[in-house]
Amino acid sequence: MNTSILAPLAARYASWLALPADQTNRVETEPELVRAMPMILRIERDPVPGRTALLEAAASAALAVCLDPRAEPEGEWHDAVSAWVAGHIRKVSRRARGAHWQTAQGVPGVTVEVDGAEVRALVPGLVVETPKEISRLQISGSDLPEDEPGSIPDDVPVLWLNPDVPLTAGKAAAQVGHASMLLAALLDADDLKAWAETGYRCVVRMPSQAQWAELHPGQDPGGAWQDRRVIAVRDAGFTEVDPGTVTVIAQWRF
């Protein structure tokens, strides 16, 4: 397993959280140079997938692409994945159903299913070079009703969504994908191997405001990781939320 491909994330993590909110990772790039990972959410009319299950599938799928054997140094995905991770890990969530979902299976990537909900994370690349069969898929309209997931299993990482920041399912899918990648970037080889054996399974939950405040790494992200095994996703603010907003806190629980 090539874990070094995520090294740039580990190197940038603490510096991201130390930046003023309006500077957090918000680097304007020429449109023709913007790279992103397309996240294809399968949202059929019937049955409609559960929101939580869809987000859990998205988190696992995004990481699975990065740590796939094809992303290793001699693999066919390596250059694309490493160029993306070295820059800004933008993701674009799109929805698909029926024949469009089946067509997306032919584009390089990884599909993950959780409790009947499916997400396909595609190999990242230049946005201007997104295949037409993907670029025609709609970005809007990906919201789903809140649900009531069950209890949290033991020995599974938890991705906690900010209870004060409403997110569409598409935006939340991108954010939990960021969280799973950051978490993997900070893990040692043994922990990452153990997680890989579960298919990078994780759970997504909404904490109370009190829980969120207790989990938050505050001004010491390095210490929070060492002492409490939590990391935060701080958004650049390109869509839906203000720059510097912490959207997800990932908690390692193995």
Side-chain angles (χ1 to χ4, degrees), residues 167-206:
L167 301 174
T168 63
K171 177 69 172 181
Q175 297 302 296
V176 295
H178 296 344
S180 64
M181 289 175 59
L182 278 169
L183 191 59
L186 296 178
L187 292 175
D188 62 32
D190 289 341
D191 281 342
L192 193 55
K193 181 180 178 181
W195 195 14
E197 290 172 353
T198 74
Y200 306 112
R201 184 186 178 204
C202 56
V203 297
V204 175
R205 294 292 187 270
M206 182 75 73

Side-chain angles (χ1 to χ4, degrees), residues 31-109:
E32 65 272 14
L33 300 179
V34 174
R35 295 179 180 272
M37 170 185 278
M39 304 278 290
I40 314 303
L41 318 181
R42 186 178 188 181
I43 303 180
E44 302 284 351
R45 291 189 177 91
D46 185 28
V48 175
R51 178 185 172 95
T52 296
L54 195 75
L55 297 183
E56 293 174 353
S60 298
L63 180 56
V65 168
C66 298
L67 298 182
D68 189 281
R70 288 165 288 186
E72 294 185 358
E74 301 303 320
E76 61 198 276
W77 297 355
H78 176 75
D79 290 350
V81 175
S82 61
W84 173 63
V85 173
H88 305 285
I89 54 169
R90 296 179 182 176
K91 298 181 177 70
V92 178
S93 297
R94 299 178 183 272
R95 61 184 175 90
R97 62 169 63 99
H100 289 165
W101 168 256
Q102 296 304 325
T103 297
Q105 302 309 296
V107 180

Side-chain angles (χ1 to χ4, degrees), residues 21 162 165 175 233-236 241-248:
N162 190 331
V165 180
Q175 297 302 296
V233 174
R234 195 173 176 188
D235 194 68
V241 301
D242 293 332
T245 301
V246 175
T247 54
V248 183

Side-chain angles (χ1 to χ4, degrees), residues 16 23 26 34 39 50-51 71 91 103 129 140 142 152 155 160 172 180 185 195 197 200 211 224:
W16 281 352
Q23 296 179 25
R26 191 181 177 92
V34 174
M39 304 278 290
R51 178 185 172 95
K91 298 181 177 70
T103 297
E129 296 179 357
S140 62
S142 63
I152 299 174
D155 299 331
W160 300 97
S180 64
W195 195 14
E197 290 172 353
Y200 306 112
Q211 286 176 309

